[in-house]
Amino acid sequence: MQAKCLVYPKHGSPSDVLTLHSHSISPPHSNLLTLRTLAAPLNPADINQIQGTYPTAPPFTSNLGSAQPTAVPGNEACFEVQSAGSACKQVSKGDWVIPRRTGLGTWRTHLQVEEDKIMKIDKEGLTAEQVATVSVNPITAYRMLKDFTPLKEGDWFIQNGANSGVGRAAVQLGKMWGLKSICVVRKREGAEGEALKKEMLELGATVVVSDEEVLEKAFGEKVKEWTNGGRESVQLGLNCVGGDAGMAMAKVLGEGGTMVTYGAMSKSPMRVGAGMLIFKDLRFVGFWVSKWGDRLPDGKERTIDKVLGLIRDGKFKDVPMVEVPWSWETKKEELLDAVQGTLKGFRRGKGIFRFGDTFFPLFTTYIYKVITTIPSVVHSTNAVLNDFAADGVCYLELRTTPRASAKFTHDEYISTILNCITDHNKQQSDMRTYLILSVDRRHSPSEAAAVINMAIQHKDRGIVGIDLCGDPAVPIDIEMLQTEFCRAKSAGLGLTVHVAEVPQSASKVELEGLLAMNPDRIGHVIHVDDSFKEEIATRKIGLELCISCNVLAKMTEGGYENHHFGEWYRREDRGVVALCTDGIGIFLSLPSNEHLLAAQHFNLTTDDLLFFSEAASKAIFSSSDEAYRILDKVQ
């Protein structure tokens, strides 16, 4: 097996010392495991290790066949077991695992390690990103809230760096446990600052203030107002900044309070006044989660299990992430740009390497970068419409996710597409086109609401439905989506959702939540059990099945003849099964090809194909007149 990894032969700036190295991995034997990396985050501590400024670092070795000893950076990751030696007893092929200790070196496509160096994770209901990022930030927040001072429901804590990974975790855990929080974030101007404040409050913060406000003389009086005149004491401070900012927080701690320092982003010392120690009896302690986890591995494993349980139950939201696709063709420069981005302030989210060759990153990485002007929107829309018309399609529900660029707004983008559809419908009589707006799984509550508002606003221009789409590895906010989709259905819009495209999006919580939204149609439906299939059949929910997409994107195994279309085709109690196409610009498969694939691999006759077309007319989102028109065409 061939593998690639980022390595460095000496400490220094990442841009100066990191290189992309290729090497071979032999089949595992004895207690060795061969692992494939699914996701690996880029943490500030990883950068510090490369720079040589962190207390620990991965070892420099010649095990990878490099010309000189090198080290592989990275401490967190989610791996999938590819193969196991004969002496391995705890894990098997397909299992997900994470490093048991720090320093494993995770920025690589594959690696081989002893079984005792990894920890098995129950992957049910989880994404690779969630698993890859669980062992540092959420665990740090969990232990700091639990281990340093007894806090009961209604108690207060204060923290800086509140919108960091640790800070966001502390806010959510604190809210879950009934704690109140004062959250300090770096000042941002105007709308950006207001948006961050709103986001933190929605996450569970009680009060959100800027780092400049904390340094004001009046800050102590403000804290007194928030804490019932000071009668509700602030007993815990979580500090990742240090310097004057850290001490400003310490000043508002109540008598006997504890300041826990777990970072020092300001790189400035904290000057503790004697009065804080003598008269207020404050405690100043440090916490390093790596050292804690290495000393108490069983405690680390139990805490990880608790946090992952909260994630499965939908009670814990992920930190915003910036995905960095890493495939075999990815260039060193692309990876180094992502590493350097970790050093910048005001990042859009935590950088995370996402390994593999799925087609989902193609949209954000390539297609969205090509269609950036109104003329390019017009050209691509007309090209798609002409391709479908030339293929003999008589009815089309096109879907798109509203987006903006430097050259157009969200509304201008949608209006342009609607104008193209209107013009195309006027120019020819055989094909009628309508539009579905898609809510992306990455959308925030405000972004999802904006899509629904836009669909309702333009309903009379030919928007007929709402779709849930996007990278299925990204978790969703079920409660938020239920609210917005209910609003859309009340406005007379149809609802279709992508379901269980990959195992990570097939958890019981997500599937039950999506069915509770009463969708009119569901798409893909790959990784579902028999009970879910029975529910679909009982409800007669329409199915959108895309044979070429699922096979070519390797969402299913066994080729065309093993596609689950065959199972639904043979069910007598099925509802509407529609043969659709997905991403024609990527898979180059128009509807006629989807029908040809079904006929070739499942022995369908012309009458069978006509039957599916007739049945599909019952599940369209536009008017009954259109349904009758489709039937006339088919018959």
Side-chain angles (χ1 to χ4, degrees):
M1 173 187 291
Q2 292 296 305
K4 287 187 177 182
C5 54
L6 284 173
V7 297
Y8 57 102
K10 61 181 180 179
H11 295 299
S13 171
S15 59
D16 294 334
V17 299
L18 283 178
T19 59
L20 188 58
H21 174 67
S22 300
H23 64 100
S24 299
I25 296 178
S26 302
H29 60 87
S30 186
N31 66 336
L32 291 177
L33 297 168
T34 298
L35 308 178
R36 178 173 75 93
T37 317
L38 301 178
L42 294 81
N43 293 312
D46 302 327
I47 308 301
N48 295 150
Q49 285 184 331
I50 298 169
Q51 295 168 329
T53 60
Y54 204 69
T56 62
F60 290 89
T61 74
S62 299
N63 295 342
L64 301 178
S66 52
Q68 56 184 314
T70 57
V72 180
N75 290 285
E76 283 189 290
C78 174
F79 303 107
E80 182 181 64
V81 177
Q82 295 281 278
S83 52
S86 58
C88 295
K89 304 300 181 185
Q90 303 302 315
V91 299
S92 55
K93 183 178 179 180
D95 286 343
W96 283 10
V97 297
I98 62 174
R100 187 171 292 278
R101 295 175 177 267
T102 56
L104 185 62
T106 59
W107 293 0
R108 46 175 134 195
T109 61
H110 303 79
L111 74 160
Q112 197 167 82
V113 295
E114 293 85 358
E115 186 181 31
D116 61 3
K117 290 186 177 178
I118 53 87
M119 180 190 306
K120 182 179 176 181
I121 297 295
D122 178 3
K123 63 184 178 182
E124 173 66 26
L126 300 172
T127 69
E129 290 87 348
Q130 291 167 336
V131 174
T133 56
V134 72
S135 61
V136 175
N137 292 338
I139 305 310
T140 297
Y142 194 106
R143 297 293 9 138
M144 289 193 300
L145 290 175
K146 285 290 188 182
D147 294 349
F148 292 94
T149 191
L151 296 175
K152 62 183 184 299
E153 188 173 344
D155 283 349
W156 287 82
F157 70 94
I158 185 171
Q159 63 167 338
N160 52 30
N163 61 315
S164 66
V166 174
R168 289 170 180 269
V171 165
Q172 295 181 78
L173 292 170
K175 182 183 180 182
M176 242 178 283
W177 298 335
L179 305 179
K180 301 174 184 177
S181 59
I182 302 170
C183 293
V184 184
V185 298
R186 288 175 63 183
K187 184 178 180 180
R188 288 165 166 80
E189 299 294 340
E192 185 181 5
E194 289 302 313
L196 176 59
K197 182 177 181 180
K198 180 182 178 184
E199 182 183 2
M200 295 305 299
L201 291 172
E202 289 177 349
L203 210 55
T206 310
V207 179
V208 181
V209 296
S210 74
D211 51 355
E212 292 185 4
E213 291 177 79
V214 176
L215 295 173
E216 295 173 355
K217 290 183 178 180
F219 182 65
E221 289 301 315
K222 290 182 179 179
V223 173
K224 189 176 292 187
E225 291 177 16
W226 300 328
T227 58
N228 193 20
R231 287 183 289 275
E232 300 171 0
S233 178
V234 181
Q235 283 296 299
L236 180 66
L238 308 181
N239 170 43
C240 67
V241 177
D244 293 340
M247 292 315 301
M249 287 203 317
K251 290 177 181 178
V252 301
L253 292 179
E255 185 175 339
T258 301
M259 172 73 83
V260 183
T261 295
Y262 66 97
M265 291 191 297
S266 71
K267 298 182 180 179
S268 299
M270 292 195 299
R271 298 173 177 86
V272 180
M276 291 185 174
L277 302 174
I278 298 172
F279 304 118
K280 293 188 72 175
D281 191 26
L282 298 186
R283 287 197 310 142
F284 290 82
V285 299
F287 182 67
W288 184 17
V289 72
S290 298
K291 186 175 181 179
W292 174 84
D294 290 347
R295 188 178 72 250
L296 298 171
D298 291 341
K300 174 182 177 180
E301 188 166 354
R302 286 194 298 271
T303 307
I304 286 173
D305 286 342
K306 290 177 181 177
V307 172
L308 291 179
L310 295 173
I311 294 173
R312 286 190 192 92
D313 293 339
K315 298 178 180 178
F316 193 91
K317 294 183 179 179
D318 302 335
V319 66
M321 298 184 195
V322 177
E323 189 173 291
V324 182
W326 184 340
S327 67
W328 191 255
E329 291 77 25
T330 302
K331 305 298 183 184
K332 179 188 74 172
E333 291 73 22
E334 298 174 51
L335 302 177
L336 293 192
D337 284 346
V339 174
Q340 285 296 122
T342 305
L343 301 173
K344 299 176 181 177
F346 297 125
R347 291 174 291 140
R348 292 185 293 115
K350 174 187 283 292
I352 186 165
F353 290 128
R354 191 66 168 90
F355 299 80
D357 296 302
T358 67
F359 77 95
F360 294 103
L362 287 175
F363 290 95
T364 53
T365 305
Y366 300 110
I367 296 176
Y368 287 177
K369 292 182 179 180
V370 172
I371 304 175
T372 57
T373 64
I374 290 296
S376 64
V377 175
V378 172
H379 175 81
S380 59
T381 303
N382 286 335
V384 168
L385 293 173
N386 290 333
D387 283 345
F388 278 109
D391 198 47
V393 173
C394 67
Y395 178 89
L396 173 64
E397 289 179 357
L398 200 62
R399 62 188 78 186
T400 190
T401 304
R403 63 187 189 85
S405 76
K407 301 293 185 180
F408 54 73
T409 65
H410 291 85
D411 195 72
E412 288 171 336
Y413 172 78
I414 293 302
S415 291
T416 300
I417 294 175
L418 286 170
N419 288 339
C420 291
I421 290 174
T422 299
D423 291 343
H424 197 271
N425 285 342
K426 290 178 180 178
Q427 291 169 8
Q428 52 88 44
S429 58
D430 287 338
M431 186 175 84
R432 288 287 178 271
T433 302
Y434 298 85
L435 189 62
I436 293 174
L437 296 193
S438 298
V439 173
D440 193 285
R441 294 173 69 98
R442 287 188 174 88
H443 277 167
S444 66
S446 59
E447 289 172 326
V451 174
I452 305 303
N453 291 340
M454 199 173 300
I456 295 173
Q457 177 187 349
H458 295 294
K459 184 170 178 285
D460 60 348
R461 296 183 62 191
I463 293 180
V464 294
I466 293 294
D467 169 45
L468 175 64
C469 70
D471 189 339
V474 175
I476 56 175
D477 185 335
I478 292 289
E479 185 176 349
M480 177 272 290
L481 289 175
Q482 284 177 334
T483 300
E484 294 302 330
F485 287 166
C486 180
R487 191 160 64 89
K489 294 200 72 172
S490 297
L493 294 167
L495 175 61
T496 178
V497 295
H498 288 48
V499 170
E501 293 171 88
V502 297
Q504 298 99 304
S505 64
S507 69
K508 185 178 180 181
V509 171
E510 175 165 326
L511 294 180
E512 290 180 349
L514 291 176
L515 278 187
M517 299 176 194
N518 296 314
D520 303 288
R521 306 194 305 246
I522 55 179
H524 298 292
V525 202
I526 300 170
H527 301 278
V528 295
D529 60 22
D530 289 340
S531 63
F532 190 81
K533 294 173 185 175
E534 291 300 324
E535 185 69 18
I536 294 171
T538 300
R539 295 194 191 189
K540 301 293 184 183
I541 299 173
L543 297 182
E544 303 170 354
L545 300 185
C546 308
I547 297 176
S548 64
C549 165
N550 297 159
V551 173
L552 295 176
K554 300 180 180 178
M555 296 177 181
T556 57
E557 297 181 357
Y560 293 111
E561 61 275 10
N562 287 322
H563 190 274
H564 53 291
F565 168 81
E567 178 183 356
W568 286 104
Y569 162 64
R570 288 185 284 269
R571 286 187 71 120
E572 293 183 0
D573 60 349
R574 66 177 181 268
V576 172
V577 178
L579 287 166
C580 303
T581 184
D582 193 3
I584 61 170
I586 298 174
F587 300 111
L588 305 178
S589 180
L590 285 160
S592 60
N593 187 60
E594 298 297 320
H595 285 73
L596 178 62
L597 291 172
Q600 289 177 332
H601 295 284
F602 300 100
N603 298 316
L604 301 187
T605 65
T606 301
D607 287 341
D608 292 329
L609 295 175
L610 289 172
F611 169 81
F612 279 111
S613 295
E614 289 181 13
S617 68
K618 301 174 184 177
I620 64 173
F621 285 166
S622 62
S623 66
S624 57
D625 288 342
E626 282 291 0
Y628 289 132
R629 189 180 69 84
I630 295 171
L631 288 175
D632 287 341
K633 290 282 185 183
V634 172
Q635 294 170 354

